[in-house]
Amino acid sequence: MNSTPHKPVFHFTKSQRIGIILLLSVIIGLQLFAMYGFRESPSDQITLDEKKWLAFQPLIDSMKIAKTAPVRKVYPYNPNFISDEKGYILGMSVAEIDRLHAFRAENKYVNSAAEFQAVTKISDSLLAVLSPNFKFPDWVTDKARYKSFTKFDSPKTFKIVDINQATADELIAVYGIGPALSERILKQREILGGFVSMDQMEDVWGISETVAAELRKKFHVSHTPGVVKININDAPISALSKFPYFRYQLAKNIVTYRSMNGKINSAEDLAKIKDFPAEKIEIIAVYLEF
């Protein structure tokens, strides 16, 4: 008895196999499209309210910067010894500074805020800003106490030496200054090319606030010296780190800032550098070339 062979249950013709493959491709494509095709981009996920808040972000950032900006501390000073640099920083005009220098060239002193205005002819508004920081010698502000000391009767007899012309012996004559401190002051002056402010005395290692105050009684900065300027935009780390006010890490931060933000254009840019001593910016800027 002849038997007819049975066809396999899952036997498909060529056209059927092609149809199945196409169907599977369509199914897989639809699944992939469902998974990824409808996914929103990050920008589509931001709501209208969020977009409004983001529009205010630049203003918020600027307010944060303004809030954290360093406040420059102004120390009391004798207005008789305002240098060109100091006068410019304080907001005085060239003519006003020249009037003060001409008055001082006659070996005269101003002994009050009113006399300072009469000599320099500064405005009332500028005088109101400057005068709270004026500090006159004790023999001017407390004449009753010093009236019995004839050597203080006139400022002409009170010799004050320019710190940039001071000798080692003149420095040692100050209470609290010995040979070692005297040598450090002269060395610092040599490196910088001169001091531009008596506040720099406190930057010399070993000098306390008390000794610095004694130095201010005997010395002053009569004019801005020809200081050694450093090109803040070109100097490498090795050169910057040799400057007394910079150390290696700060020099590295300066170079990093330059590479990320471009040229440093002014003293205001210095405050943006990480770990920069903001309280000394006015002094340091005198030694820099932008």
Side-chain angles (χ1 to χ4, degrees):
M1 179 175 171
N2 296 329
S3 60
T4 303
H6 297 284
K7 293 183 179 180
V9 177
F10 296 102
H11 176 73
F12 300 101
T13 64
K14 182 178 180 180
S15 59
Q16 290 175 328
R17 289 197 299 271
I18 293 174
I20 292 173
I21 292 172
L22 291 174
L23 179 61
L24 291 175
S25 300
V26 171
I27 294 173
I28 294 173
L30 290 174
Q31 289 180 335
L32 292 174
F33 184 80
M35 292 174 62
Y36 301 103
F38 292 98
R39 180 168 294 181
E40 294 179 338
S41 63
S43 61
D44 294 334
Q45 295 176 355
I46 300 177
T47 65
L48 183 60
D49 289 340
E50 289 174 332
K51 289 182 178 179
K52 290 181 179 179
W53 282 109
L54 288 174
F56 286 102
Q57 192 61 45
L59 176 60
I60 295 172
D61 292 340
S62 63
M63 293 176 65
K64 288 181 179 179
I65 293 174
K67 184 178 180 180
T68 58
V71 178
R72 296 179 181 178
K73 184 177 181 180
V74 179
Y75 295 92
Y77 57 91
N78 189 331
N80 285 288
F81 306 117
I82 292 177
S83 63
D84 289 338
E85 180 69 23
K86 181 75 171 179
Y88 175 78
I89 293 173
L90 293 174
M92 296 176 64
S93 68
V94 174
E96 291 165 348
I97 297 172
D98 287 345
R99 292 188 193 106
L100 175 63
H101 289 176
F103 182 80
R104 289 285 294 109
E106 298 176 4
N107 201 24
K108 297 178 181 179
Y109 291 76
V110 294
N111 296 320
S112 67
E115 288 183 15
F116 181 81
Q117 185 181 32
V119 170
T120 60
K121 303 187 184 307
I122 64 173
S123 64
D124 293 339
S125 58
L126 182 56
L127 181 67
V129 174
L130 301 184
S131 59
N133 295 305
F134 286 175
K135 181 176 176 60
F136 296 100
D138 292 340
W139 48 263
V140 172
T141 56
D142 192 2
K143 292 182 179 180
R145 178 182 176 187
Y146 290 92
K147 64 181 180 180
S148 61
F149 297 92
T150 56
K151 66 178 182 178
F152 292 117
D153 286 345
S154 170
K156 295 181 181 179
T157 63
F158 191 77
K159 183 181 179 181
I160 299 179
V161 180
D162 188 335
I163 189 65
N164 289 310
Q165 302 296 326
T167 65
D169 290 339
E170 289 172 329
L171 291 170
I172 292 174
V174 176
Y175 178 79
I177 300 291
L181 280 179
S182 173
E183 182 178 353
R184 287 181 201 146
I185 293 173
L186 296 178
K187 183 65 175 178
Q188 187 88 324
R189 186 177 72 186
E190 178 184 356
I191 294 173
L192 294 171
F195 296 111
V196 298
S197 169
M198 286 303 297
D199 293 339
Q200 292 176 273
M201 295 301 99
E202 295 181 14
D203 299 329
V204 179
W205 185 81
I207 293 184
S208 64
E209 292 183 5
T210 302
V211 175
E214 291 297 319
L215 285 167
R216 290 189 182 94
K217 294 177 183 179
K218 301 289 181 68
F219 302 97
H220 70 103
V221 177
S222 62
H223 64 280
T224 303
V227 298
V228 179
K229 288 184 177 288
I230 299 176
N231 192 315
I232 193 69
N233 289 298
D234 293 335
I237 293 178
S238 57
L240 290 172
S241 59
K242 292 179 182 178
F243 182 53
Y245 287 98
F246 297 159
R247 291 295 180 264
Y248 177 80
Q249 186 57 51
L250 180 54
K252 186 177 179 181
N253 291 346
I254 292 172
V255 174
T256 300
Y257 179 89
R258 284 184 342 210
S259 64
M260 295 179 65
N261 300 277
K263 186 177 180 180
I264 300 173
N265 296 306
S266 63
E268 285 71 18
D269 288 342
L270 298 176
K272 303 173 186 176
I273 299 173
K274 181 181 179 183
D275 298 330
F276 199 95
E279 71 281 2
K280 293 183 173 66
I281 284 181
E282 291 182 358
I283 291 176
I284 294 175
V286 179
Y287 297 94
L288 302 179
E289 179 182 346
F290 297 97

